[in-house]
Amino acid sequence: MSTVSPRADLESLPKYVPGRTIQGAIKLASNEVPGGALPSVAKALAEAATGINRYPDTGSQALRDRLAGELAVPVERIAVGCGSVSLCQQLVQAVCEPGDEVIFGWRSFEAYPIVTQVANAVGVRVPVTSGHALDLDAMLAAITPRTRLMFVCNPNNPTGTALRRAELERFLDAVPERVLVVLDEAYREFVTDADVPDGIEFTRNRDNVTVLRTFSKAYGLAGLRIGYAVAPEPIADALRQVYVAFSVNMLAQVAALASLDAADELMARCRDIIGERDRVHAALLEAGYEVPETQANFVWLPLGERATAFAEHLLDRKLVVRPFAGDGVRVTIGTPEENDLFLDAAREFAR
């Protein structure tokens, strides 16, 4: 008797490992912002909840119009998706044919190899530098005639390191025009270095650059899943073609618009997180840890083979962080009280 089987290659598909949630423990594993939705956003959600019997606007037109005005780009160049990770997969599906290559740093966002393989493309991992930054020269050297897309996470997840304007411009100048460069800027709102460029600038005069942004991080909407791309118009059109209809729900669209209305309040919250990030970074250096500079809302401890032991040590103290076995540990910045508990545990491990 014959049976229907899934694709054979799915057995080798990398598994996405979400940050663990443990009852009673402090979660510093998923790059979420502490605290709930902003009050005005929560109010907008409550008012909109009475309409959830209706389908959402599958084109997210109100949000696209608002983003076009905020970013000063044509609305035709904006596509909205179910979080930026969904847009990553849509980009591979829209640009790559089976066997085409997708280049990304490693470590970088762990969804890149997954969405690449799901779309029947071939992932090419390029090791980061000794300073835990994306190695742009090595990424350029990895380009072949089969390369169609490159993911450049800036700031990079999980290392927090960021690329500066001059090096990124040199890189973009050297990438063949047939290759789409995707600047993944999920943590853009936490950047304080003025020399880390706003990727939207590059979309204005380069036809092979797309920028991804999300409302999951700084905006505190991780549970609603909504993000957007600013892309060349043909790419934005293609993203809408491969989009799963209605996958961006109505509440997510309402919350995104309300969050844009509360921009000043939101950025004040980001400044608080940035202050805590810098305090935690300095304290870890003082405790003897190697910690690269970070422009995100997390810190990276390149502990190598000690990564799992460090994470287990913290778990014993009811602190959940995100280990990457053999490489390091990513720790999200929480409240001052949560960060103090983390630092106490980290100092204890160091001793």
Side-chain angles (χ1 to χ4, degrees):
M1 187 174 72
S2 64
T3 59
V4 178
S5 300
R7 285 166 39 187
D9 72 306
L10 294 186
E11 288 292 327
S12 65
L13 189 69
K15 301 295 189 293
Y16 183 86
V17 182
R20 296 169 67 182
T21 299
I22 298 176
Q23 189 69 30
I26 294 170
K27 186 180 179 185
L28 303 176
S30 296
N31 297 343
E32 301 152 337
V33 295
L38 295 172
S40 59
V41 177
K43 182 175 182 291
L45 283 170
E47 293 172 351
T50 58
I52 59 174
N53 58 309
R54 304 296 184 187
Y55 282 105
D57 172 12
T58 194
S60 302
Q61 191 60 47
L63 180 58
R64 290 176 61 225
D65 287 341
R66 177 65 181 273
L67 288 169
E70 295 271 342
L71 302 171
V73 297
V75 68
E76 294 80 9
R77 300 184 65 186
I78 295 176
V80 173
C82 186
S84 57
V85 65
S86 178
L87 287 161
C88 287
Q89 184 165 322
Q90 290 171 240
L91 280 163
V92 182
Q93 291 172 320
V95 171
C96 296
E97 296 181 358
D100 284 345
E101 293 173 351
V102 176
I103 295 174
F104 45 84
W106 200 252
R107 279 198 175 269
S108 192
F109 183 31
E110 62 186 310
Y112 295 153
I114 300 172
V115 300
T116 297
Q117 186 172 336
V118 166
N120 285 309
V122 176
V124 179
R125 306 184 189 195
V126 177
V128 296
T129 68
S130 59
H132 313 288
L134 295 179
D135 190 335
L136 295 184
D137 289 336
M139 292 177 75
L140 286 172
I143 295 174
T144 75
R146 295 294 295 173
T147 303
R148 292 299 310 278
L149 190 150
M150 305 177 82
F151 284 116
V152 178
C153 192
N154 196 36
N156 186 46
N157 176 20
T159 64
T161 52
L163 301 167
R164 271 58 183 183
R165 184 180 308 278
E167 60 184 330
L168 193 50
E169 286 180 342
R170 284 195 300 270
F171 171 77
L172 293 174
D173 286 343
V175 174
E177 292 183 359
R178 62 176 175 79
V179 176
L180 182 68
V181 178
V182 180
L183 301 178
D184 187 345
E185 297 186 340
Y187 302 94
R188 174 66 198 172
E189 291 82 1
F190 302 106
V191 171
T192 55
D193 187 336
D195 201 29
V196 177
D198 180 339
I200 304 296
E201 301 172 15
F202 298 120
T203 68
R204 303 187 196 285
N205 54 19
R206 296 177 186 267
D207 292 332
N208 66 333
V209 175
T210 290
V211 170
L212 298 181
R213 299 272 177 86
T214 182
F215 288 93
S216 294
K217 309 305 181 189
Y219 291 84
L221 303 183
L224 287 177
R225 311 306 306 130
I226 184 165
Y228 61 93
V230 178
E233 190 170 336
I235 299 299
D237 286 341
L239 285 171
R240 289 188 286 273
Q241 284 183 296
V242 300
Y243 169 76
V244 176
F246 306 116
S247 58
V248 178
N249 68 72
M250 179 261 286
L251 293 180
Q253 295 182 47
V254 167
L257 286 165
S259 294
L260 292 171
D261 287 338
D264 290 344
E265 187 179 359
L266 181 136
M267 292 312 297
R269 184 166 69 175
C270 286
R271 286 192 292 273
D272 290 341
I273 295 170
I274 290 165
E276 279 296 293
R277 174 193 74 191
D278 295 345
R279 180 177 75 88
V280 169
H281 184 269
L284 289 170
L285 292 176
E286 186 178 352
Y289 287 95
E290 176 193 355
V291 190
E293 177 199 18
T294 175
Q295 289 287 308
N297 69 325
F298 54 83
V299 291
W300 172 248
L301 286 74
L303 293 169
E305 296 304 320
R306 301 172 68 210
T308 300
F310 180 88
E312 292 300 323
H313 168 80
L314 266 68
L315 189 57
D316 288 342
R317 286 143 187 83
K318 300 294 185 182
L319 293 157
V320 184
V321 294
R322 178 67 173 89
F324 296 82
D327 286 337
V329 177
R330 188 191 67 201
V331 184
T332 306
I333 301 302
T335 66
E337 296 76 18
E338 292 170 342
N339 298 332
D340 285 341
L341 291 171
F342 160 69
L343 289 171
D344 287 343
R347 293 184 187 105
E348 184 181 359
F349 184 84
R351 288 193 294 269

